[in-house]
């Protein structure tokens, strides 16, 4: 089944939104298969955001992301990469619909409280970067899955 890398950024952790964000993925029916709290280095974050190197906001982005611990998670389920991005809302919270995480809890693009992989391939890379090359995910069954999936 499909997996995605979801991260609660330092502002989300500081603002006490960890439980709220995890709860939204849980209530949707997705399955948490890996999770840890990490205070990432700037070097690590430069790798995570390698695609954005050269953007004017890149130094500020790396500094913001290194300013405190983040919650690194892997979520699993049908279409979870795309649906996870939908749960987060648009990158710029001012363009995020109410009912999304950013649309409900954020205002500035530079303080948008969460991250989600944008494709299955980037999810694989991000999971390896944050959790190591060895598959970090926990394999377990949930009784509720017969009520979530047809
Ligand atoms: P993520 O899920 O966080 O990866 O967001 P995204 O995929 O919707 O956007 P993208 O990967 O292009 O940008 C990554 C992050 O950089 C965003 O979530 C923002 O935190 C930050 N960012 C993107 N564009 C801007 C910008 O114009 N200004 C500032 N200050 N930050 C930006
Ligand atoms: Mg992105």
């Amino acid at each position: 089944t499909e997996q995605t890398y979801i991260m609660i950024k330092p502002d989300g952790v500081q603002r006490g939104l960890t439980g709220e964000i995890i709860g939204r993925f849980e209530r949707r029916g997705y399955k948490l298969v890996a999770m840890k709290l990490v205070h990432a280095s700037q070097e690590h974050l430069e790798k995570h955001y390698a695609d954005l190197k050269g953007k004017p906001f890149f130094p500020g982005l790396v500094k913001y992301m290194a300013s405190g611990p983040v919650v690194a998670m892997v979520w699993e389920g049908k279409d979870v990469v795309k649906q996870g991005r939908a749960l987060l809302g648009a990158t710029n919270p001012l363009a995020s619909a109410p009912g999304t995480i950013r649309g409900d809890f954020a205002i500035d693009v530079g303080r948008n409280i969460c991250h989600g992989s944008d494709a299955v391939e980037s999810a694989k890379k991000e999971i390896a970067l944050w959790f190591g090359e060895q598959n970090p995910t926990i394999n377990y069954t949930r009784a509720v899955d017969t009520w979530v999936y047809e």
Side-chain angles (χ1 to χ4, degrees):
T1 42
E2 193 169 300
Q3 295 182 334
T4 193
Y5 176 68
I6 300 292
M7 174 164 57
I8 305 173
K9 296 179 176 180
D11 49 336
V13 174
Q14 293 290 339
R15 292 178 57 197
L17 293 169
T18 298
E20 173 71 36
I21 294 166
I22 290 173
R24 288 181 179 219
F25 280 82
E26 283 183 325
R27 296 198 298 273
R28 180 70 187 276
Y30 288 122
K31 183 174 162 187
L32 183 60
V33 294
M35 177 164 74
K36 65 179 177 182
L37 193 66
V38 280
H39 195 155
S41 67
Q42 299 213 175
E43 292 82 349
H44 184 84
L45 290 157
E46 282 168 15
K47 282 184 201 157
H48 175 79
Y49 284 123
D51 291 352
L52 299 175
K53 208 163 186 153
K55 299 271 186 193
F57 58 84
F58 183 79
L61 173 62
V62 167
K63 205 173 156 206
Y64 151 55
M65 290 297 297
S67 67
V70 301
V71 179
M73 298 177 282
V74 181
W75 286 89
E76 187 176 279
K78 189 188 284 181
D79 201 31
V80 70
V81 171
K82 186 172 144 219
Q83 300 303 321
R85 300 266 295 182
L87 285 170
L88 301 190
T91 307
N92 184 345
L94 295 182
S96 302
T100 65
I101 292 164
R102 289 165 177 158
D104 287 347
F105 303 117
I107 296 172
D108 266 354
V109 67
R111 295 289 184 273
N112 64 357
I113 68 174
C114 48
H115 161 84
S117 305
D118 59 17
V120 172
E121 275 316 299
S122 37
K124 284 182 185 148
K125 280 190 212 156
E126 291 171 359
I127 292 166
L129 178 66
W130 287 87
F131 288 92
E133 297 289 341
Q134 287 267 53
N135 178 14
T137 59
I138 304 293
N139 215 328
Y140 65 104
T141 58
R142 292 188 312 179
V144 77
D145 275 342
T146 56
W147 301 102
V148 174
Y149 293 105
E150 191 177 13

